Amino acid sequence: MNTIKKIAAPAIAAFAIGLIGSQNAIAGIPIQHWVQASGAKVFLVESPVIPMVDVQLDFDAGSRRDPREQAGLASTMAAMSDKGVLAQQGNAALDENALSEAWADLGAGFGATATQDRLSFSLRSLTYPDLLPKAVQLAARQLSAPAFPDPIWQRERERLSAAIRQANTRPATLAQQAFSTAVYGTHPYGLQVTEASLARINTTDIRERYARSVLPCRAQITVVGGVNRVQADAMVTELLAGLPGADCPALPAVAEVAPLEKASEQQIAFDSAQAHVLIGQPGVRRDDPDYFALTVGNYILGGGGFVSRLTNEVREKRGLSYGAYSYFSPALHAGAFTVGLQTRPDQAAQAVQLARDVVAQFVADGPTEAELKAAKDNLIGGFALRIDSNRKLLDNVANIAWNDLPLDYLDTWTQAVAKVSVADIRRAFGRHLQPERMVTVVLGGTEAAR
């Protein structure tokens, strides 16, 4: 086994580097899609050049489904999923150290993360016949029989609580918390994980939530790498084989993020050298038809770094900040539109007013033709970098699957960007943003303490 580890680890590193360029050889990116008898939805991109496969399993079990009093349950499930597996079908139980060592021996990896929308598991392995079957078997065990040991959860809860206490000493964290609460109100996207909410989570809660969420009929699986459809289908079947084969009743609907009714402003005192400024409101869903117009427009407004209007006005012309930015966070619900900057406390009021004016003018007038051409050239020219590794391609295909986007989305991405006009951007920003109803949070410095 040690020999396998010595071979596999360097091989993965070498192949990961070699991936750059391999995807460039793909003229199109055909995505195969089918639904297994269990109800699991599978999306596959074959990439046979490299003997490696990446798999992502997504479940509708992100933090938007956390009970309000147990904020953090989804991320806890993810964090605890690699802390050991139970004995199963003649295989001895593995504690967290033994499980970690087993993955190291295979030169492969399997882990979980939770976002607002998704609980996701990711497997990466070489496709060699003496490695991939073992990696899939171990991933299937971890998926179907996580131990969720109580002593480990007690330890992890202490560690997470310490991390929260430390994070709450940082002005950026506190500003973001205040901003999220103001933008999202009572929507689950605004839930804050606290020491108190973690204290209300126990391993019984974790097991029950996991058992309800991680089911084949709720699985959406994306596979990218050196396997064909037959191999991918068999691999997915084995990954899900240990999970209960129950039917899946519809999950409760989650309400949409409510629009803001009026502007609000918070001045929060904090002993910091810089004032942290956040301005924004609920934005758009990922499947909104204005997505491309907003993407191109935001590149011009505040997403393009040194070439954006916000940076030019706030930093270059007036020297109020080292940088200013804006972005949309589209998801299953309307993720926030955010403008952010840091500035000297005595300049905060001027910087806030300037950022508001730049946003309002952009919403009213849109970009110039010259700005639009420069943005399109940059975005289209940089498209290849979005898919220049298996990992990036996996992320893109998983997002296509999760957001129910067309399967030719990547093939038509540059065409969609090229079609965006000044009028499209003006219309989209006018439809989705209301500068007169935005939230403003200013945290830090003596001016904020006034």
Side-chain angles (χ1 to χ4, degrees):
M1 190 61 77
N2 286 334
T3 302
I4 293 174
K5 179 162 53 176
K6 290 175 182 175
I7 293 173
I12 282 183
F15 287 135
I17 295 171
L19 289 173
I20 299 175
S22 68
Q23 300 299 342
N24 293 335
I26 300 175
I29 303 175
I31 301 174
Q32 302 174 59
H33 170 51
W34 66 96
V35 181
Q36 291 194 329
S38 65
K41 299 174 182 175
V42 187
F43 298 79
L44 166 67
V45 174
E46 296 183 28
S47 181
V49 177
I50 305 298
M52 177 185 287
V53 65
D54 285 280
V55 184
Q56 181 166 317
L57 302 96
D58 292 319
F59 299 87
D60 186 352
S63 62
R64 73 178 185 143
R65 298 202 176 277
D66 284 353
R68 179 162 295 278
E69 69 279 6
Q70 292 180 313
L73 182 55
S75 57
T76 297
M77 265 196 306
M80 287 292 293
S81 68
D82 65 353
K83 306 305 181 193
V85 296
L86 302 171
Q88 187 185 47
Q89 298 177 343
N91 294 309
L94 300 174
D95 64 17
E96 61 175 331
N97 293 326
L99 183 58
S100 176
E101 182 64 21
W103 281 114
D105 284 342
L106 292 171
F110 186 72
T113 58
T115 65
Q116 292 174 321
D117 292 335
R118 286 183 263 183
L119 174 66
S120 303
F121 298 85
S122 298
L123 168 66
R124 163 168 281 196
S125 173
L126 294 170
T127 56
Y128 296 147
D130 58 338
L131 291 178
L132 181 57
K134 295 176 182 175
V136 172
Q137 183 182 49
L138 185 57
R141 284 194 66 192
Q142 191 170 327
L143 197 64
S144 63
F148 296 133
D150 190 66
I152 301 298
W153 169 233
Q154 301 303 326
R155 182 198 71 192
E156 288 298 297
R157 182 157 54 193
E158 287 301 315
R159 184 182 65 78
L160 293 170
S161 295
I164 289 173
R165 289 194 292 273
Q166 183 181 33
N168 287 342
T169 66
R170 293 194 287 265
T173 300
L174 298 175
Q176 186 60 54
Q177 289 174 351
F179 180 75
S180 294
T181 299
V183 168
Y184 293 120
T186 59
H187 191 274
Y189 278 8
L191 285 179
Q192 310 286 343
V193 181
T194 65
E195 291 183 72
S197 71
L198 290 178
R200 289 191 283 268
I201 296 172
N202 58 47
T203 50
T204 299
D205 301 322
I206 298 171
R207 291 190 185 95
E208 289 179 351
R209 172 76 179 281
Y210 190 92
R212 291 198 307 270
S213 304
V214 183
L215 297 169
C217 49
R218 300 202 192 284
Q220 195 157 273
I221 300 116
T222 305
V223 183
V224 173
V227 293
N228 59 33
R229 175 165 176 159
V230 172
Q231 293 168 324
D233 192 63
M235 183 170 59
V236 169
T237 298
E238 183 167 355
L239 282 170
L240 302 176
L243 296 174
D247 292 335
C248 293
L251 293 171
V254 177
E256 190 48 83
V257 179
L260 300 179
E261 296 182 356
K262 61 181 180 180
S264 67
E265 182 167 346
Q266 296 182 52
Q267 299 277 343
I268 303 173
F270 193 88
D271 185 13
S272 60
Q274 293 276 299
H276 293 248
V277 176
L278 294 171
I279 303 169
Q281 65 174 98
V284 295
R285 293 163 51 108
R286 179 59 184 83
D287 60 358
D288 194 285
D290 287 329
Y291 175 79
F292 281 101
L294 295 172
T295 297
V296 177
N298 186 66
Y299 183 90
I300 300 164
L301 173 60
F306 287 107
V307 300
S308 75
R309 279 199 189 183
L310 280 167
T311 296
N312 188 46
E313 295 294 333
V314 176
R315 171 191 164 112
E316 300 300 325
K317 289 186 178 178
R318 295 164 179 87
L320 295 174
S321 175
Y322 287 113
Y325 56 86
S326 66
Y327 61 90
F328 288 91
S329 305
L332 290 182
H333 305 280
F337 166 74
T338 305
V339 173
L341 61 91
Q342 294 180 38
T343 187
R344 268 186 8 220
D346 62 309
Q347 297 176 332
Q350 182 186 0
V352 166
Q353 189 57 55
L354 179 59
R356 287 172 173 167
D357 291 345
V358 170
V359 172
Q361 182 180 11
F362 192 84
V363 171
D365 300 335
T368 66
E369 290 289 352
E371 288 176 320
L372 178 60
K373 182 181 184 308
K376 286 183 180 179
D377 289 346
N378 190 288
L379 289 168
I380 293 172
F383 174 74
L385 297 178
R386 294 171 178 259
I387 54 171
D388 64 356
S389 72
N390 268 20
R391 181 68 247 182
K392 291 182 184 178
L393 186 55
L394 182 80
D395 289 343
N396 276 283
V397 177
N399 282 330
I400 289 169
W402 187 254
N403 293 290
D404 200 23
L405 302 177
L407 294 184
D408 65 350
Y409 175 82
L410 292 175
D411 294 329
T412 60
W413 193 92
T414 56
Q415 299 169 34
V417 170
K419 288 180 181 176
V420 173
S421 68
V422 168
D424 291 335
I425 294 173
R426 188 164 54 237
R427 184 167 49 249
F429 273 71
R431 182 181 297 141
H432 296 287
L433 296 186
Q434 297 80 41
E436 73 281 5
R437 283 190 270 150
M438 288 188 177
V439 164
T440 301
V441 172
V442 181
L443 182 143
T446 54
E447 290 297 308
R450 205 171 42 186

